[in-house]
Amino acid sequence: MSAEADRRRVVLGSADHPRYVVWELTLRCDLACRHCGSRAGRPRAEELSLEEARSLVDQLAELGTEAITFIGGEAYLHPDWLGVVQAASQAGIRCTLTTGGRAFTRSMARKAAAAGLAGVSVSIDGIGPTHDTLRAVSGSYDAALRALKATRKAGMLTMANTQFNRLNMGEIDQLADVFAAHGVEAWQVQLTGPMGRAAERPEWLLQPYDILELIDRLAAAARRLKADRPDFVINAGNNLGYFGPPEEAIRVAPYPGCQAGVYLLGIESNGDIKGCPSLPSAPYVGGNVRERPLRDIWNEAAELAFVRRRQGRDHLWGFCAGCYYADHCGGGCTWTAHTLLGRPGNMPYCYHRADQLRSEGRRERVELVEAAPGRPFDFGRFALVEEDWPA
């Protein structure tokens, strides 16, 4: 199956069951990324055992889950991670891994493939020193490239993912060339979100008006790569949008609006359940699988069903409330809007929005007004300022 067909199989699904799951196996990590939203490093207290994870796999299979991406922290630091992969694969669920790749060796890649892992996405956030600065570990860039090679050598789908911010936006073309040289078949791109450690470095975050340059440059890189490799996929994450002329070049399918709790499910390593893995925990955890069956959490928890239960435009505010695309977009990425402005329904990182404002000689910027408290998946609060576009 081509990378594009594989990605479409996950993205274009029927709604209202957890078709695609992102599962944090452990919060333990062997990197110390300065832009990490979960502040990964040490494991959570009472992370799920292998027996509990296998029970959860069975519940996911019963609910119709088709694909799981395992994340961390660093998923391979969970002592039984291959056992969980094997259980999910044997249940007919397609398994992939997102990793920083620091210790993802050829030996580990072979064992993962044998356990049923179908693909690996290596997180690479810049060239050489830029990546190492963001990851806070010298040599992490070279290790990530070795992880790409190990994945390809083991015969698994080889993917990459990048968070864009002010440190690395100028390296788009270089990254594209590196990924092409390493046989990457799919590249997911998104913004560094204002959560966790990234909330402590507001000067690293892109401004809403930067989305115009970023998406134009990503679209140009995508068209260049596809000219030589038609099956290559570049796919924008949910917080990178929306609806400008370059949309087709950077997104596998038209943006469908936030899918948290619609076909998407997030699992934290202690068994807490969210509608999306990126969402902050406190407002969005709907229950724990140690206390309630997954089916009940999915069907009954308001924290997971907020998109399913929306009525019209009632949740929208600011620019998004009157936008031409509001009924389809629904206000964009819930995670980014909430962690930025304190509630969803108004997402300033939008190509259409920035372009409309630019045509009026205006632009938006964000500035930090309240610091994050310092907990996993925490966030501060930013003010949204509209101003004249500089001459």
Side-chain angles (χ1 to χ4, degrees):
M1 180 180 290
S2 71
E4 182 166 4
D6 184 73
R7 179 75 69 175
R8 284 181 180 274
R9 193 170 70 91
V10 170
V11 173
L12 300 178
S14 58
D16 296 346
H17 71 282
R19 199 164 178 271
Y20 177 50
V21 172
V22 180
W23 186 341
E24 173 203 278
L25 281 180
T26 180
L27 208 55
R28 184 182 176 192
C29 194
D30 53 11
L31 294 169
C33 302
R34 295 183 170 105
H35 58 329
C36 179
S38 63
R39 300 182 184 268
R42 296 181 179 180
R44 295 181 190 270
E46 299 182 352
E47 294 185 333
L48 296 180
S49 66
L50 178 57
E51 182 180 356
E52 290 172 318
R54 284 173 172 163
S55 173
L56 183 50
V57 165
D58 291 340
Q59 294 179 67
L60 290 169
E62 289 174 2
L63 287 173
T65 297
E66 295 186 16
I68 297 174
T69 295
F70 293 105
I71 64 169
E74 187 57 80
Y76 61 64
L77 294 178
H78 187 284
D80 298 310
W81 81 283
L82 290 179
V84 182
V85 170
Q86 185 175 50
S89 178
Q90 290 176 348
I93 301 173
R94 185 182 180 280
C95 299
T96 58
L97 171 72
T98 295
T99 176
R102 186 180 180 191
F104 194 77
T105 62
R106 288 193 175 187
S107 174
M108 184 181 290
R110 287 194 298 268
K111 292 176 182 177
L117 196 69
V120 177
S121 181
V122 182
S123 301
I124 299 182
D125 289 331
I127 301 298
T130 303
H131 177 91
D132 286 3
T133 295
L134 285 161
R135 298 286 164 178
V137 175
S138 179
S140 58
Y141 176 73
D142 291 336
L145 294 185
R146 290 194 295 270
L148 286 177
K149 294 177 182 177
T151 299
R152 190 177 183 189
K153 186 73 173 178
M156 294 181 287
L157 180 66
T158 305
M159 301 172 285
N161 63 86
T162 302
Q163 292 186 28
F164 281 103
N165 49 60
R166 288 192 173 273
L167 274 66
N168 63 11
M169 191 171 78
E171 299 178 352
I172 291 172
D173 289 333
Q174 293 167 273
L175 284 168
D177 291 341
V178 166
F179 295 151
H182 283 77
V184 169
E185 299 170 67
W187 181 19
Q188 178 164 316
V189 294
Q190 63 186 55
L191 302 177
T192 295
M195 188 165 72
R197 296 187 191 121
E200 298 171 354
R201 295 175 172 84
E203 70 278 7
W204 286 7
L205 302 177
L206 293 177
Q207 290 292 343
Y209 55 81
D210 289 326
I211 207 78
L212 298 167
E213 179 184 354
L214 175 66
I215 289 181
D216 285 345
R217 295 182 65 177
L218 284 170
R223 294 184 184 109
R224 179 169 61 86
L225 289 175
K226 281 180 173 288
D228 295 327
R229 296 175 52 198
D231 287 340
F232 180 85
V233 173
I234 182 170
N235 194 47
N238 289 332
N239 75 342
L240 184 60
Y242 311 102
F243 302 114
E247 180 88 353
E248 185 177 356
I250 64 162
R251 204 176 294 279
V252 170
Y255 179 68
C258 178
Q259 296 297 297
V262 179
Y263 77 80
L264 178 61
L265 178 74
I267 302 172
E268 295 186 350
S269 57
N270 62 356
D272 283 345
I273 302 297
K274 302 184 289 189
C276 167
S278 298
L279 288 169
S281 300
Y284 291 103
V285 167
N288 188 287
V289 294
R290 286 182 169 131
E291 301 167 358
R292 299 176 65 192
L294 180 62
R295 182 181 296 276
D296 291 350
I297 298 173
W298 177 266
N299 288 331
E300 299 171 9
E303 294 87 349
L304 269 70
F306 63 92
V307 175
R308 283 177 266 159
R309 297 177 183 178
R310 282 176 178 169
Q311 299 292 324
R313 301 188 179 194
D314 290 348
H315 67 290
L316 300 178
W317 58 286
F319 184 98
C320 289
C323 179
Y324 173 82
Y325 294 106
D327 292 328
H328 180 76
C329 176
C333 177
T334 299
W335 159 48
T336 306
H338 194 137
T339 54
L340 191 72
L341 302 176
R343 61 185 172 118
N346 188 23
M347 168 57 168
Y349 287 95
C350 168
Y351 192 101
H352 169 72
R353 175 172 176 160
D355 194 35
Q356 286 289 108
L357 288 170
R358 179 173 59 179
S359 71
E360 300 166 7
R362 305 286 287 170
R363 71 180 191 181
E364 293 174 315
R365 62 179 173 84
V366 295
E367 55 184 38
L368 183 67
V369 295
E370 183 178 331
R375 298 186 297 269
F377 290 98
D378 64 345
F379 55 96
R381 186 169 57 85
F382 290 74
L384 186 61
V385 179
E386 186 174 321
E387 61 189 14
D388 289 335
W389 193 286

